[in-house]
Amino acid sequence: MSEFHDAPRRRPTQSEAEAAVRTLIEWAGDDPDREGLLETPARVAQSYKELFSGYETDPTDYLARTFEEVGGYDELVVLKDIRVVSFCEHHMLPFLGKAHVGYLPRDRVVGISKLARVVHGFARRLQIQEKLTADIAGAIDSVLKPKGVGVVIVSEHSCMTMRGVNTPGSRLTTSHLTGEVRDDARTRQEFFELVRNG
């Protein structure tokens, strides 16, 4: 790898980000100095800071605190309908949907809000849905070390519904399974039934 790629990348300043937005406004054909657009560069930079906040966190940190007193519970734990707001890395347009996350605990569980935080931590980045699905499953698998993990994401992609093929209502479904959730037919079926009907 070249020295250029090895060197740490300097993050642009807020004013540089705002200047880039001004350039895009001008490129689109409007005047960034007109009244309605005067504050737009600052607003866009601030909203992007929030929408891409996943770069500021390590989502696996949310899984650090676990509970070992599970009373012998060894069945699937599934949290459904976690809101997903992410951005396609190809067009920087949002994809919106829901994630369903489950795992088969071995000897410890995690607070359910932490599962949602893991989803949000990975979602607030530029990416493709397939990688997002795998990243969530991989984090849960590596930190909790459960018997298995299942993640399903269903979302609508603005890059398809607002432009290009213009197909509103079409949704992409991705899944990533590990361990017994993938390899044991009964557990796999139970996971998908809980996601679909639970």
Side-chain angles (χ1 to χ4, degrees):
M1 206 176 266
S2 71
E3 287 183 22
F4 175 78
H5 290 295
D6 290 338
R9 181 173 290 144
R10 182 187 77 84
R11 189 169 193 165
T13 64
Q14 176 84 10
S15 60
E16 288 172 328
E18 291 178 21
V21 176
R22 284 180 58 86
T23 298
L24 283 173
I25 291 170
E26 290 179 301
W27 177 83
D30 214 323
D31 176 9
D33 291 319
R34 73 175 174 82
E35 183 181 10
L37 293 173
L38 275 176
E39 301 300 320
T40 297
R43 289 190 192 106
V44 171
Q46 187 59 40
S47 68
Y48 269 35
K49 189 173 183 180
E50 179 182 341
L51 290 168
F52 299 125
S53 60
Y55 292 112
E56 303 293 327
T57 64
D58 179 354
T60 60
D61 290 345
Y62 296 125
L63 300 170
R65 183 170 184 222
T66 59
F67 305 96
E68 295 182 9
E69 292 184 15
V70 296
Y73 187 86
D74 60 357
E75 300 296 325
L76 279 168
V77 175
V78 178
L79 183 62
K80 292 180 50 176
D81 298 329
I82 305 167
R83 178 98 165 125
V84 170
V85 177
S86 194
F87 275 74
C88 160
E89 65 184 31
H90 301 139
H91 302 96
M92 289 185 70
L93 289 172
F95 61 91
L96 310 170
K98 292 180 179 177
H100 314 291
V101 177
Y103 67 99
L104 192 58
R106 190 176 301 277
D107 54 10
R108 55 191 177 144
V109 296
V110 69
I112 58 173
S113 69
K114 307 308 184 197
L115 296 175
R117 290 186 185 278
V118 169
V119 171
H120 296 157
F122 281 115
R124 299 295 179 139
R125 301 176 181 187
L126 292 168
Q127 66 204 313
I128 59 174
Q129 183 175 321
E130 294 87 340
K131 182 178 185 304
L132 173 60
T133 309
D135 283 346
I136 295 166
I140 296 167
D141 198 46
S142 67
V143 177
L144 295 184
K145 302 193 183 321
K147 296 175 187 174
V149 177
V151 176
V152 173
I153 297 179
V154 182
S155 68
E156 187 171 298
H157 288 247
S158 300
C159 58
M160 278 189 59
T161 61
M162 292 172 51
R163 55 161 299 282
V165 293
N166 286 296
T167 54
S170 64
R171 298 184 303 166
L172 177 66
T173 301
T174 52
S175 66
H176 191 92
L177 312 177
T178 70
E180 290 183 25
V181 178
R182 178 192 62 212
D183 299 332
D184 183 82
R186 289 193 334 187
T187 305
R188 184 172 62 248
Q189 180 180 357
E190 181 184 0
F191 170 70
F192 283 122
E193 284 180 356
L194 286 169
V195 165
R196 190 169 44 248
N197 306 317

